[in-house]
Structure formats: structure tokens, C-alpha cells
Amino acid sequence: MAAAATVIPDGRRWCKGASPASSPVTTAIFLFFFVIVVGVLVSARWITTTSHLPITNLDEWRTKPAILTATHTTSIPATPTPPPPPRPAYSISCSAPPLARDPAVPSNISQTLYLALSSNKTCASVPEPQPLPSTTTNSSCPGYFRFIHEDLHPWRAAGGITRAMLDSARATANFRLVVLRGRAYVERIAPAFQTRDLFTIWGVLQLLRRYPGRVPDLELMFDCVDWPVVRADQYQGENTTFMPPLFRYCGDNETLDVVFPDWSFWGWPEINIKPWDAVQKDLYIGNKRVKWVDREPYAYWKGNPDVAAKRQELVKCNVSSKQEWNARIYKQDWIKESKAGYKQSDLSRQCTHRYKIYIEGSAWSVSEKYILACDSMTLVVTPKYYDFFSRVLMPIQHYWPVRDDNKCSSIKHAVDWGNSNKQKARVIFRPLSALRN
Ligand SMILES: *[C@@H]1O[C@H](CO)[C@@H](O)[C@H](O)[C@H]1NC(C)=O
Ligand SMILES: *[C@@H]1O[C@H](CO)[C@@H](O)[C@H](O)[C@H]1NC(C)=O
Ligand SMILES: *[C@@H]1O[C@H](CO)[C@@H](O)[C@H](O)[C@H]1NC(C)=O
Ligand SMILES: *[C@@H]1O[C@H](CO)[C@@H](O)[C@H](O)[C@H]1NC(C)=O
Ligand SMILES: *[C@@H]1O[C@H](CO)[C@@H](O)[C@H](O)[C@H]1NC(C)=O
Ligand SMILES: *[C@@H]1O[C@H](CO)[C@@H](O)[C@H](O)[C@H]1NC(C)=O
């Protein structure tokens, strides 16, 4: 759902002051986060490289559902540092879960993983991985890493993360994740919407397999709902003793939720969205199909306008016999799409306009990365939320900011400018450059 390019990297304060010695938990979470972002980034290298993870191909996924579990042992050229360690096979070791197949779960989603997560047994990945020599290099560390420090700063300032803090995060969490010596343990606290939790955890399992021995011990609480809930103004003074370190998919300038890549990086089968590895290959081909100058000289948006008032306002900018704001706005009807085999929602066929609009929905929108990846000039309606990677994007530099209070004429102005400054429009206001490095 929604989306959030964000921009102003900070409404929040980010004091570099004397930081107290971090607690082991803080350090562990930081390290984990560091590693997972590396993991995601390796697979999200935005079109420039091909990826090595073979299992994310959707066709394979369709024909071999079990592949979604972590039991599949493929040889993955993982870390760039030779020599490669012996590659352990992980499996969810819940033998014969006594649960019936849940008809609500699409058959092509891993039932094994689903059942494992639904059962009360302890599910671990086995066997224990070999620890790797630490050959950490930060040469390929993208800019958005710095926000990890920012997200965790409030706990650093409070002297670390305590058990009481973690427990207070349970109130809204969907699951609790523990990684202990390379094994993942999951406690499902409350059901998540669709299969968000499943795919998020699947991402963690891939991480464990890709970086055996490198993911430190950690424990975290994860909330799969769209909106951030940890209001900074409620955790001042004495209240910091139970300030919840809660992971979710987006944040804003008034909340302290720790931002984590959203589930759709690993797939969103309910609306036929493939894992990012596969999508970026499609988009790469889609981008090649029409050169930028040959694309439609208008600003394109397609989505569900019903989730937010600002989207309904955007629809009013659509072309008609009476007006031309240079916007081409289309409504996404997921029910109709699902019946028609998602032919009209193919993301790689939506890179056909010189300008693409990004607008938030009920919170940040998953659509953001697909819009940015078209490599068109991107018009971003002033966002409120940010997700884990978009905070590095700066208005003017990486995208054209569209005024929320004056959308139509702001869009028209942007498109007119781009069409009369094609050379510039091709190279600036395009966010990919920022995300590639
Ligand atoms: C957060 O951003 C909004 C605009 O989206 C602004 O009105 C508000 O003052 C900001 N709050 C803080 C604490 O910076
Ligand atoms: C898991 O445990 C809880 C309480 O401990 C129980 O209510 C629930 O039925 C159990 N679920 C399964 C699937 O066994
Ligand atoms: C990593 O980055 C830090 C700070 O930018 C730098 O001091 C250090 O030398 C770098 N390490 C490597 C291995 O590049
Ligand atoms: C501390 O938390 C309580 C309970 O949530 C809340 O009512 C109170 O306003 C908070 N106080 C501060 C200073 O944040
Ligand atoms: C999953 O299966 C359903 C019905 O079997 C099918 O309609 C849908 O396209 C499949 N989705 C994926 C992502 O394979
Ligand atoms: C916007 O205008 C186009 C062209 O007239 C039309 O095809 C499309 O359905 C309109 N979009 C909406 C959301 O009404």
C-alpha cells in the first residue's frame, strides 16, 4: 500500500553526542540490520546487475512451491570474499506439523513455512552454520545505511535496549524473531494482513543462508501494519524505560518505529507481484523497450485512489475534454485484474511515460520502488512517510517535488519543464542514481 519517498532525511534529531557504550542487544540489532540491508541491497541492485538468487524466479515458484521454504539447497554465490565457506543447508525443523492446509493461503505459497510458523513448536534452521572470518568491507555500503544509526539512536541515548522495552513492543507486534547462533526462531503473536509476516520472515531466512555465520544473535519485535505507532512525544523522560523498539515497514518524523524493508521485496503473491529479483529483471527489459524520449510526454500514475483523500485529489488532475494538466491517471482495480490474469498490472509495462508520479496511499506505498525503477523523471507528491531506502532521495536532486496543496498545476509545470528541457530531465530528477550507490 502505500508509499513513501522521503526525503527530508530528517525531521528527527540525530545527535552525535557522547553515546554511552551500547548494550549487546543494541549492537546485535544494529549488526543484524546492517547485514540485512546488505542482503536486501545485494538483491536490489536496481537493474544494474543480475542477481544470484535463483529461487526467486516466479516460474520456479509456481511449479515448485516447496522452494519457498528455506530447505532448498542451491549453491548461491553469496559473499564476495573468497574462499567460500561450506554452505550449510537450512531447514525449518518442524516435523510433520499437525495442521491442516489453510485454504486461505494460496496453494503456491509455501505450506511448509506457513505451517511451521503457525505451529507452537520451536522452529529452527539447521544445521548450525560455520562462522566466517570477519572480512567486512564497507566499500559498497549505500548512503541509506546512515539511517540505521538514526533509527536506533533513541535507544543508544537511553543506554541500550532492555527486556522491558522489548516486551512493551509486544502490544502491537505480529511476530517476535530471535536469531541465535544462526538459527531463526519465530513466535507468531498475531496474524498479519495477507502473508506479509510470512514473506518478511522468508527474507530473514534467505539472509541467514546467504550470510552464514555473519548474522549476530538478536531478538526483535515486528509489526506488519502500515502505519508507525511509536510516538516520540510519548516516550520522553521516565517513559523512555519502556520505549518499544518496534520494526515495521515505514516511519515518519513523529514516530520512532525502526524501518525494515517491506515484504514485497520477497514477493506479494496475493496481487501477483514477484520478488524484487525477478521484478527488476522484468523492469530492465521493460525499460529497454521504449527509450526515454520516445515515451509518452505525460505524467503517469496507476493505483487505487480509494485509500487516501490525496489520491482522490490526484485523480481530478486527469486529462478530460475540459482540462489538460499533462497527467494520465488510471485506477487499479485489483479484483478485476485478478480475474483478467493481471495483464494490465504488469509493472514492466508501466514504464511507458516520460514522467511517473509517486503518491502515498494510506501510509507509504509499496509501489514506490517500481515507480522509481522505471527510470523516468519521477514526480513525488510531498510525502509524509519514509521507507528504508527512500530516505536517501532528495527533492530537486533525485526527483521533482510536487506540491501536495497544488497537485495539478505542479504536475503540469513539471511536465512542461521536462518536455522543453529534455537533456536535463533525462539526467536529473531520476532517483536510480542515488539508489545504485
Ligand atoms: C513532521 O512533518 C510535518 C509535515 O509533514 C510537519 O508539519 C511537522 O511539523 C513535522 N513534525 C516534526 C516533529 O518535525
Ligand atoms: C498454541 O498454544 C496456545 C496456548 O499455548 C493454544 O491456545 C493454541 O491452540 C496452540 N495452537 C496450536 C496450533 O497448537
Ligand atoms: C569503512 O568506513 C569507515 C568510515 O567511513 C572507514 O574509516 C574505514 O576505513 C572503512 N573500512 C573499509 C574496510 O573500507
Ligand atoms: C508517559 O506514558 C503515559 C502512558 O502511556 C502517558 O499517559 C504520558 O503522557 C507519558 N508521559 C510523557 C512525558 O511522555
Ligand atoms: C497462485 O495460485 C492461484 C490459484 O491457484 C493463481 O491464480 C495465482 O496466479 C498464483 N499466484 C502466483 C503468484 O503464482
Ligand atoms: C483518465 O483519463 C483517461 C483518458 O480519458 C481515461 O482512460 C481514464 O480512465 C481516466 N482515469 C480515471 C481514474 O478516471
Side-chain angles (χ1 to χ4, degrees), residues 305 315 318-320 327-331:
V315 170
N318 198 15
V319 63
S320 73
R328 297 294 180 266
I329 310 296
Y330 300 91
K331 191 170 174 168

Side-chain angles (χ1 to χ4, degrees), residues 90-99 111-126 176-180 182-188 201 205 208:
Y90 289 90
S91 64
I92 298 274
S93 62
C94 279
S95 52
L99 296 174
Q111 290 286 321
T112 309
L113 182 54
Y114 177 76
L115 291 175
L117 295 175
S118 317
S119 90
N120 280 348
K121 290 190 187 170
T122 298
C123 302
S125 57
V126 293
R176 169 177 165 231
L177 168 73
V178 173
V179 171
L180 205 55
R183 299 181 181 203
Y185 301 82
V186 172
E187 176 190 359
R188 227 179 196 186
I201 292 162
L205 295 181
L208 288 170

Side-chain angles (χ1 to χ4, degrees), residues 234-296:
Q234 287 178 3
Y235 296 96
Q236 317 263 321
E238 289 182 353
N239 284 6
T240 54
T241 55
F242 54 90
M243 178 168 61
L246 183 64
F247 283 72
R248 77 166 62 248
Y249 308 117
C250 79
D252 65 19
N253 65 355
E254 289 168 349
T255 52
L256 302 177
D257 302 61
V258 182
V259 178
F260 192 92
D262 73 73
W263 73 95
S264 67
F265 278 102
W266 297 286
W268 189 358
E270 287 86 353
I271 59 167
N272 203 44
I273 290 190
K274 305 176 198 179
W276 179 247
D277 268 356
V279 174
Q280 68 166 346
K281 281 177 202 144
D282 291 352
L283 282 166
Y284 181 77
I285 295 164
N287 272 334
K288 294 250 159 179
R289 214 171 270 139
V290 193
K291 283 201 304 198
W292 188 82
V293 283
D294 299 331
R295 294 184 188 184
E296 299 279 332

